[in-house]
């Protein structure tokens, strides 16, 4: 690839990643290409490189600066930082699948308590709110509950906490979160 890419899809040729550096607060992070494509396509934002460079917003802490430098990192898909993040994403996704099945059990056999406990333990360092996980467990274990008293609301709060803490969550989980919870 000679020169800047035309779209994000062009970075696949060089197995690229994207580095974002805020000019205001100085925060820098490396983003996997497929993660960025997924986020932009979910929010229906353009994939053109010029648009990517101009509409990035820093989301570190309380910084909401629009002055973010966007650079290509060739062969970034093989970097250790992105490998760890990809493994973390897979782990969170598997735990969310188990927790979702426990929250919406229609048509499924009930899950063993150990599976739910393990999934919640996996999510704990990423959600960072013990109360949310305890609310899910309490609602899951409650035997004499009505249909609307299940763990579906704490499940949505778990997804919202993951998004708020900056973890990539697949689009199918995001659609369950009411607007504004992850902003």
């Amino acid at each position: 690839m000679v020169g800047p890419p035309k779209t994000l899809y062009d970075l696949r040729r060089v197995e690229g990643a994207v580095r974002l550096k805020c000019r205001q607060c100085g925060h820098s992070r490396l983003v996997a290409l497929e993660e960025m494509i997924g986020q932009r396509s979910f929010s229906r934002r353009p994939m053109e490189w010029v648009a990517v460079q101009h509409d990035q917003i820093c989301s570190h802490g309380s910084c909401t600066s629009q002055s973010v430098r966007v650079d290509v990192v060739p062969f970034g898909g093989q970097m250790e930082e992105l490998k760890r993040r990809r493994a973390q994403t897979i782990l969170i996704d598997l735990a969310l699948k188990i927790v979702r099945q426990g929250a919406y059990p229609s048509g499924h056999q009930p899950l063993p308590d150990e599976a739910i406990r393990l999934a919640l333990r996996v999510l704990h360092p990423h959600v960072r709110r013990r109360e949310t996980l305890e609310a899910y467990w309490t609602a899951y274990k409650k035997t004499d509950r009505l249909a609307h008293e299940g763990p579906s609301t704490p499940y949505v709060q778990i997804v919202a906490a993951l998004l708020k803490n900056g973890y990539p969550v697949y689009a199918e989980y995001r659609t369950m979160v009411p607007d504004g919870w992850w902003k």
Side-chain angles (χ1 to χ4, degrees):
M1 183 169 78
V2 177
K6 290 183 176 54
T7 66
L8 278 177
Y9 300 114
D10 292 342
L11 296 181
R12 287 181 174 158
R13 296 181 195 152
V14 293
E15 299 175 15
V18 179
R19 182 172 305 281
L20 305 174
K21 180 165 174 92
C22 179
R23 292 182 178 110
Q24 186 173 347
C25 70
H27 177 70
S28 177
R29 72 181 180 124
L30 195 62
V31 180
L33 177 63
E34 298 304 322
E35 181 182 335
M36 180 171 267
I37 289 173
Q39 288 174 350
R40 293 185 71 84
S41 65
F42 177 73
S43 59
R44 298 179 185 204
R45 291 166 47 202
M47 299 293 173
E48 286 76 26
W49 184 247
V50 175
V52 171
Q53 288 181 312
H54 291 289
D55 69 358
Q56 287 297 316
I57 297 172
C58 180
S59 59
H60 178 68
S62 62
C63 181
T64 57
S65 170
Q66 293 182 339
S67 179
V68 177
R69 181 181 171 139
V70 182
D71 294 319
V72 175
V73 179
F75 306 105
Q78 302 303 319
M79 297 178 77
E80 291 300 318
E81 180 181 344
L82 287 180
K83 285 182 181 179
R84 271 193 309 277
R85 184 148 172 103
R86 199 173 304 125
Q88 188 178 55
T89 302
I90 291 169
L91 189 66
I92 290 171
D93 181 53
L94 290 173
L96 277 178
K97 283 181 181 178
I98 292 169
V99 171
R100 181 178 185 176
Q101 189 174 349
Y104 303 101
S106 61
H108 299 289
Q109 291 286 347
L111 294 173
D113 289 349
E114 292 82 15
I116 297 293
R117 287 177 55 205
L118 180 61
L120 292 175
R121 188 167 295 259
V122 165
L123 291 172
H124 181 262
H126 310 294
V127 172
R128 299 182 195 145
R129 289 197 47 140
R130 184 177 176 152
E131 300 83 26
T132 305
L133 300 173
E134 286 176 350
Y136 180 91
W137 180 253
T138 304
Y140 179 76
K141 289 302 288 178
K142 190 174 180 184
T143 56
D144 57 340
R145 65 177 184 230
L146 299 174
H148 66 279
E149 293 176 335
S152 58
T153 301
Y155 168 74
V156 170
Q157 292 171 347
I158 289 171
V159 173
L162 288 169
L163 290 171
K164 183 180 176 190
N165 293 333
Y167 292 101
V169 175
Y170 292 118
E172 66 186 66
Y173 301 124
R174 286 178 173 224
T175 56
M176 306 202 58
V177 179
D179 287 340
W181 279 33
W182 60 82
K183 292 181 183 178

